[in-house]
């Protein structure tokens, strides 16, 4: 039986040879890391080792910088989530990978990045001891333009790795906010106020929540989601994203 399985796997590998999901190389020898979705070079570029990062907002810091109470990127911001973990900063190879995955016809690229996020940040994610994974929902305008919500795909992968449930129905968009890109960084927190509602509040009451999105910039969206979830009794809200944009303010 095992022989039959390996023969069929070999046949599948012959028809659909392994391909790096970022650069498209098919050299299986260079297949890297635990997930094997990217070649070794791409994986190192997508997720370079972060030696030191801010616990509060996930920003990469210099090797000797300490950031009690937040770093230069978040200290002045009214962030309501408890901490943030990410694959890396939104630049270079990670930015390219996130963008191409986000606008793809298939959710496979996003799932591969989520696999990598889980394998690279496994200890941290498990350490949160979350009971429930909740993705940030898309606005209806964005839903019309995209085939899938990257946050839901990432939430499903992380929930499966953590053996907990992902629920994409609890958190809903309440109203249409102005696109965050058109609002100044300082006003993004105000722009997000009351932008979510929670259905079935009892589901989050007393729970530890892992909030998930694909990219976080100022943190205003995740912060507002954390605020409303805590208002409904969530004990804590940690955030996991693929990439953190360093806005410098
Ligand atoms: Zn590659
Ligand atoms: Zn920070």
């Amino acid at each position: 039986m095992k022989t039959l399985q390996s023969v069929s796997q070999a046949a599948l590998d012959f028809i659909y040879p392994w391909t790096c999901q970022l650069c498209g190389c098919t050299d299986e020898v260079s297949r890297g890391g635990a997930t094997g979705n990217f070649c070794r070079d791409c994986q190192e570029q997508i997720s370079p080792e972060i030696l030191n990062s801010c616990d509060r907002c996930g920003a990469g810091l210099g090797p000797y910088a300490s950031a009690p109470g937040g770093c230069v990127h978040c200290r002045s911001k009214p962030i309501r989530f408890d901490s943030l973990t990410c694959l890396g900063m939104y630049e270079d190879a990670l930015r390219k990978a996130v963008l191409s995955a986000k606008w793809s016809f298939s959710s496979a690229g996003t799932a591969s990045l989520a696999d990598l996020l889980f394998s690279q940040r496994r200890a941290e994610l498990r350490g949160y001891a979350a009971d429930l994974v909740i993705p940030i929902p898309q606005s209806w305008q964005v839903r019309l333009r995209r085939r899938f919500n990257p946050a839901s795909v990432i939430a499903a992968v992380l929930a499966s790795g953590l053996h907990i449930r992902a629920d994409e129905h609890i958190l809903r968009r309440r109203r249409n906010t102005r696109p965050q890109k058109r609002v100044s960084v300082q006003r993004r927190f105000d722009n997000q106020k009351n932008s979510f509602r929670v259905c079935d509040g009892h589901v989050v009451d007393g729970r530890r929540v892992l909030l998930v999105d694909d990219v976080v910039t100022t943190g205003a969206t995740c912060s507002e989601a954390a605020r409303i979830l805590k208002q409904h009794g969530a004990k804590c809200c940690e955030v996991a994203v693929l990439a953190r944009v360093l806005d410098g303010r």
Side-chain angles (χ1 to χ4, degrees):
M1 190 63 176
K2 200 168 180 186
T3 316
L4 192 61
Q5 274 174 350
S6 47
V7 169
S8 2
Q9 188 57 52
L12 277 174
D13 288 348
F14 181 73
I15 302 166
Y16 304 107
W18 176 83
T19 307
C20 167
Q21 297 208 356
L22 187 61
C23 72
C25 78
T26 52
D27 174 12
E28 196 155 352
V29 179
S30 69
R31 194 171 181 170
T35 69
N37 294 314
F38 304 99
C39 72
R40 206 165 289 127
D41 284 352
C42 285
Q43 184 169 312
E44 278 169 21
Q45 287 173 37
I46 290 170
S47 181
E49 196 179 354
I50 302 174
L51 295 172
N52 188 18
S53 62
C54 172
D55 288 340
R56 187 169 183 246
C57 76
L61 304 174
Y64 306 110
S66 76
C71 69
V72 66
H73 301 285
C74 70
R75 205 168 286 139
S76 61
K77 292 174 188 157
I79 287 174
R80 301 295 296 271
F81 49 80
D82 297 278
S83 66
L84 185 146
T85 192
C86 59
L87 258 182
M89 302 305 110
Y90 188 64
E91 50 199 18
D92 308 326
L94 180 54
R95 181 170 181 273
K96 185 180 160 197
V98 168
L99 281 174
S100 87
K102 191 172 183 157
W103 294 104
S104 161
F105 283 105
S106 137
S107 60
T110 300
S112 298
L113 287 166
D115 276 339
L116 189 57
L117 172 65
F118 182 72
S119 70
Q120 302 284 73
R121 302 281 174 261
R122 192 188 305 252
E124 222 167 324
L125 290 165
R126 285 191 176 148
Y128 293 153
D131 305 301
L132 188 63
V133 186
I134 299 181
I136 296 287
Q138 300 182 114
S139 66
W140 69 268
Q141 296 103 319
V142 175
R143 266 207 309 270
L144 289 178
R145 297 201 310 262
R146 273 199 213 127
R147 296 189 163 236
F148 58 91
N149 178 7
S152 298
V153 175
I154 302 160
V157 170
L158 298 186
S160 154
L162 294 166
H163 306 296
I164 54 177
R165 198 163 61 86
D167 194 319
E168 58 178 332
H169 303 293
I170 292 175
L171 192 63
R172 306 276 177 96
R173 291 268 175 187
R174 188 199 286 275
R175 64 180 177 85
N176 291 315
T177 50
R178 291 168 67 197
Q180 289 284 65
K181 277 182 186 164
R182 295 182 200 159
V183 179
S184 75
V185 170
Q186 292 305 324
R187 291 189 57 205
R188 288 185 188 189
F189 281 84
D190 291 338
N191 186 46
Q192 284 297 320
K193 252 179 205 153
N194 301 318
S195 54
F196 296 107
R197 64 188 171 88
V198 169
C199 303
D200 298 331
H202 67 277
V203 177
V204 293
D205 192 9
R207 301 297 174 93
R208 303 174 66 89
V209 173
L210 179 62
L211 260 179
V212 171
D213 208 351
D214 58 344
V215 175
V216 74
T217 306
T218 57
T221 306
C222 286
S223 179
E224 177 59 17
R227 187 190 69 77
I228 188 98
L229 289 167
K230 285 180 175 180
Q231 198 176 72
H232 283 81
K235 253 195 236 169
C236 56
C237 284
E238 319 289 350
V239 174
V241 294
L242 297 178
R244 162 81 165 94
V245 178
L246 284 186
D247 50 60
R249 279 161 282 188

